[in-house]
């Protein structure tokens, strides 16, 4: 039966080629490129080997729309028009759309979405790895309804585990790899409600490192680990009121500690675990502003090289956390520069691993309220003005398109946020400024928004998941977010 199907496919393909030779458009590059793609797709075979390693890449807030904007930005930075650019993850062979709603939220926050990917179960907004029967911030109930994480499962199987983020390492998405909490904001002990017996998130990370579940943790958030009356290496105070210095506790337990690009570089390629890297008091710097700390790609590469020393393999979660923060700020430029840094980390991880034994998954926890305006001509700068389509050529005409108010508008904006035109400073105006492209492309510019909010919100749209490696073909169609865990679990246990 299988041979018959292969023969039938060959007939269909050969017939298609023969027919295409008679078409007047057969020499168009669009046509020939599609023919090559057909041959590539027809020749694909699924990889059904057991996955030795799993890498889960999550760009926080990088839904389909944000990903499109990053694609345009990356392509235009490379000197092209942008839209035909292919990001590393976009070349992965397998793709699905992911539903991001939670058990109580049409629009999710990062805690339950990251939890879904790490436990296989959806839960409520605001909670990390606690089942849906618990009310948010119910400390006592949360202690009785904790779920087992993928990190704990694979650690018991002898694998190493790493977590890397440009956000605080105690922030919702990275915390979902190792922590369990009824409230995502309980990052340090002073944030816990009185009488709550749950350990704060920073404390849980150190406990998981001591127990051998977490081998490497790199990100921001030093302030969550040191006392309020202490100063870190950059003379910034801590948050803890229990007098504990968790960094010193980790070092006493045998962890190597790094806090800037120099101490990170000193680790070299012969890294022994565990490693705790905390590069800022709070979140790490945006890529556009980065000084004195490693890039996401550098942290990813060092972690892969270290975890690869384990013959049993590893699980690594990598988060580009500040894509989300820049979207919240309404600052598209920093969203896109961090998005490009995320793609660079993916490309490097792909280079350092083998498709035969490593499942790489690239996704997002949710999307944002980003929107795209007008009939922009090709090459319109993604952070700048929307220019008219060139009816006689390819690239835009250079003439800004205007709204009915006679003023130009940008390619992208937000449905809500700090850049709302309904409020300028303390005055409600409802009118748009006569914006220039130079103003719009300034890295500090806030995109125009509709509804006034101090912080732009997430949206409930689907996100994409792109994958390659063992059992990546299980990503197909439209899936629930918790399904990602099940593909990872299946892949590492396949016979």
């Amino acid at each position: 039966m299988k041979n018959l199907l292969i023969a039938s496919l060959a007939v269909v393909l050969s017939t298609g080629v023969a027919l295409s030779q008679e078409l007047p458009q057969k020499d168009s590059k669009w046509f020939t490129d599609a023919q090559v793609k057909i041959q590539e797709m027809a020749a694909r075979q699924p990889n059904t080997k057991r996955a030795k390693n799993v890498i889960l890449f999550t760009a926080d807030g990088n839904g389909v729309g944000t990903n499109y904007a990053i694609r345009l930005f990356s392509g235009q930075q490379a000197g092209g028009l942008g839209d035909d650019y292919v990001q590393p993850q976009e070349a992965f062979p397998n793709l699905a759309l992911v539903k991001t709603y939670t058990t109580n939220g049409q629009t999710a926050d990062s805690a339950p979405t990251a939890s879904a990917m790490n436990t296989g179960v959806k839960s409520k907004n605001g909670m990390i790895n606690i089942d849906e029967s618990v009310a948010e911030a119910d400390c006592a109930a949360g202690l009785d309804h904790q779920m087992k994480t993928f990190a704990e499962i694979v650690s018991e199987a002898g694998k190493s585990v790493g977590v890397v983020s440009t956000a605080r390492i105690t922030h919702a998405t990275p915390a979902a790899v190792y922590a369990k909490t009824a409230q995502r904001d309980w990052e340090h002990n002073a944030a816990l409600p009185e009488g709550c017996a749950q350990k704060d998130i920073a404390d849980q990370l150190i406990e998981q490192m001591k127990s051998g579940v977490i081998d490497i943790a790199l990100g921001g958030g030093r302030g969550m680990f040191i006392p309020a009356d202490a100063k870190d290496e950059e003379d910034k105070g801590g948050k803890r009121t229990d007098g504990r210095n968790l960094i010193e506790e980790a070092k006493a337990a045998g962890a190597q500690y790094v806090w800037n690009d120099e101490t990170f570089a000193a680790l070299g390629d012969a890294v022994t675990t565990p490693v705790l890297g905390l590069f800022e008091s709070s979140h790490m710097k945006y890529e556009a502003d980065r000084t004195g700390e490693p890039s996401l790609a550098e942290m990813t590469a060092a972690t892969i090289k270290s975890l690869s020393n384990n013959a049993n393999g590893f699980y690594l979660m990598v988060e580009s956390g500040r894509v989300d923060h820049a979207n919240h700020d309404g600052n598209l430029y920093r969203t896109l520069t961090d998005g490009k840094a995320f793609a660079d980390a993916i490309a490097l991880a792909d280079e350092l691993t083998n498709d035969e034994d490593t499942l790489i998954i690239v996704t997002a926890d949710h999307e944002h309220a980003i929107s795209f305006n007008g009939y922009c001509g090709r090459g319109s700068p993604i952070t700048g003005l929307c220019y008219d389509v060139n009816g006689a050529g390819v690239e835009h005409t250079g003439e800004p398109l205007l709204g009915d108010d006679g003023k130009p508008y940008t390619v992208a904006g937000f449905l809500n946020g700090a850049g709302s035109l309904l409020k300028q400073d303390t005055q409600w105006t409802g009118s748009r400024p006569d914006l220039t492209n130079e103003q719009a492309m300034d890295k500090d510019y806030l995109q125009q928004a509709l509804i006034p909010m101090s912080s732009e919100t997430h949206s409930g749209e689907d996100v994409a998941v792109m994958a390659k490696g063992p059992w990546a073909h299980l990503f197909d169609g439209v899936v629930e977010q918790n399904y990602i865990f099940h593909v990872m679990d299946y892949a590492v246990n396949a016979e």
Side-chain angles (χ1 to χ4, degrees):
M1 183 67 179
K2 181 178 179 181
N3 290 337
L4 178 60
L5 289 172
I6 293 173
S8 299
L9 178 60
V11 170
V12 170
L13 289 174
S14 62
T15 302
V17 171
L19 288 173
S20 70
Q21 292 174 350
E22 306 301 321
L23 297 174
Q25 64 267 37
K26 65 182 177 62
D27 294 326
S28 163
K29 188 176 185 301
W30 300 107
F31 196 94
T32 56
D33 284 354
Q35 289 290 305
V36 170
K37 186 68 175 178
I38 283 285
Q39 300 297 323
E40 175 194 320
M41 295 293 288
R44 281 182 181 169
Q45 296 294 323
N47 180 347
T48 56
K49 297 178 181 179
R50 177 180 291 186
K52 177 182 177 181
N53 311 311
V54 176
I55 306 177
L56 176 62
F57 278 97
T58 304
D60 195 326
N62 186 33
V64 173
T66 301
N67 181 74
Y68 166 63
I70 296 168
R71 180 197 304 153
L72 286 172
F73 178 81
S74 299
Q76 290 171 358
Q77 290 289 300
L81 298 176
D83 33 27
D84 55 351
Y85 183 83
V86 180
Q87 299 183 85
Q89 66 270 26
E90 293 174 341
F92 286 9
N94 302 101
L95 171 74
L97 289 177
V98 179
K99 299 179 182 180
T100 63
Y101 70 94
T102 67
T103 60
N104 68 343
Q106 181 170 293
T107 300
D109 78 84
S110 297
T113 50
S115 297
M117 292 185 275
N118 280 280
T119 66
V121 174
K122 289 201 178 217
S123 56
K124 289 178 180 173
N125 281 6
M127 301 196 298
I128 299 173
N129 299 332
I130 303 294
D131 73 44
E132 65 179 297
S133 68
V134 176
E136 182 186 357
D138 187 335
C139 176
L143 288 169
D144 295 328
H145 292 269
Q146 298 179 351
M147 296 185 283
K148 194 167 188 174
T149 66
F150 187 66
E152 291 170 327
I153 293 168
V154 298
S155 178
E156 289 177 359
K159 295 185 186 297
S160 297
V161 178
V163 54
V164 173
S165 178
T166 52
R168 291 192 298 270
I169 201 66
T170 52
H171 215 232
T173 303
V177 176
Y178 61 83
K180 297 156 189 182
T181 177
Q183 171 45 246
R184 58 172 287 178
D185 293 336
W186 296 344
E187 296 181 54
H188 54 86
N189 79 294
L192 291 168
E194 186 176 353
C196 178
Q198 177 196 292
K199 290 180 180 292
D200 61 82
I201 294 173
D203 193 358
Q204 289 189 55
L205 173 57
I206 302 306
E207 287 298 310
Q208 290 280 48
M209 295 189 82
K210 290 177 180 178
S211 68
V213 173
I214 300 298
D215 297 278
I216 300 181
L218 304 176
R222 279 195 303 263
M224 312 300 122
F225 293 81
I226 64 174
D229 59 357
K231 297 290 185 181
D232 67 12
E233 293 81 358
E234 296 179 310
D235 203 35
K236 295 179 181 177
K239 299 286 188 181
R240 306 194 67 83
T241 57
D242 56 4
R244 295 175 64 189
N245 187 319
L246 298 182
I247 295 173
E248 293 302 321
E249 290 186 22
K251 289 162 66 175
Q256 298 182 81
Y257 169 64
V258 293
W259 65 274
N260 65 1
D261 54 354
E262 293 180 359
T263 55
F264 172 79
L267 289 172
D269 289 338
V271 180
T272 58
T273 58
V275 177
L276 175 64
L278 299 171
F279 302 106
E280 286 288 339
S281 178
S282 185
H283 302 301
M284 291 181 69
K285 294 170 183 165
Y286 286 114
E287 179 63 21
D289 310 310
R290 182 170 58 84
T291 57
E293 57 193 48
S295 69
L296 185 63
E298 290 169 336
M299 292 191 292
T300 299
T303 304
I304 289 173
K305 290 175 182 177
S306 176
L307 298 181
S308 295
N309 292 323
N310 186 342
N312 294 317
F314 63 83
Y315 168 50
L316 170 62
M317 197 288 292
V318 179
E319 183 206 24
S320 182
R322 307 226 65 192
V323 169
D324 176 77
H325 300 160
N327 265 331
H328 279 307
D329 290 343
N331 178 212
L332 190 59
Y333 179 81
R334 286 181 174 81
T335 297
L336 305 184
T337 48
D338 269 58
K340 177 61 169 63
F342 177 67
D344 292 343
I346 295 166
L348 191 51
D350 193 18
E351 180 183 323
L352 292 172
T353 56
N354 189 334
D355 289 355
E356 290 300 302
D357 66 7
T358 303
L359 172 62
I360 301 180
I361 300 167
V362 179
T363 189
D365 43 8
H366 54 73
E367 177 59 297
H368 278 263
I370 191 171
S371 59
F372 298 90
N373 300 314
Y375 297 101
C376 307
R378 291 190 68 190
S380 292
I382 180 57
T383 58
L385 297 183
C386 178
Y387 292 112
D388 201 3
V389 172
N390 186 346
V394 175
E395 193 166 0
H396 63 76
T397 64
E399 290 295 322
L401 291 174
L402 307 178
D404 287 349
D405 58 1
K407 297 174 182 178
Y409 50 85
T410 55
V411 175
F414 290 95
L415 293 177
N416 64 68
S420 174
L421 301 172
L422 296 179
K423 190 172 185 179
Q424 297 293 331
D425 297 322
T426 59
Q427 300 298 315
W428 293 86
T429 63
S431 63
R432 299 192 309 122
D434 199 357
L435 186 67
T436 68
N437 192 59
E438 182 180 18
Q439 290 170 326
M441 294 188 70
D442 186 280
K443 69 178 185 179
D444 295 321
Y445 177 72
L446 301 188
Q447 302 302 117
Q448 293 179 359
L450 178 60
I451 300 169
M453 289 189 177
S454 60
S455 177
E456 177 269 352
T457 70
H458 300 168
S459 78
E461 298 167 47
D462 294 349
V463 301
V465 57
M466 307 166 211
K468 68 184 308 189
W471 299 97
H473 60 283
L474 294 180
F475 289 112
D476 192 17
V478 181
V479 301
E480 297 286 359
Q481 196 160 41
N482 57 294
Y483 176 74
I484 293 172
F485 165 94
H486 295 276
V487 174
M488 297 192 300
D489 189 57
Y490 191 88
V492 298
N493 289 296
E495 296 297 334

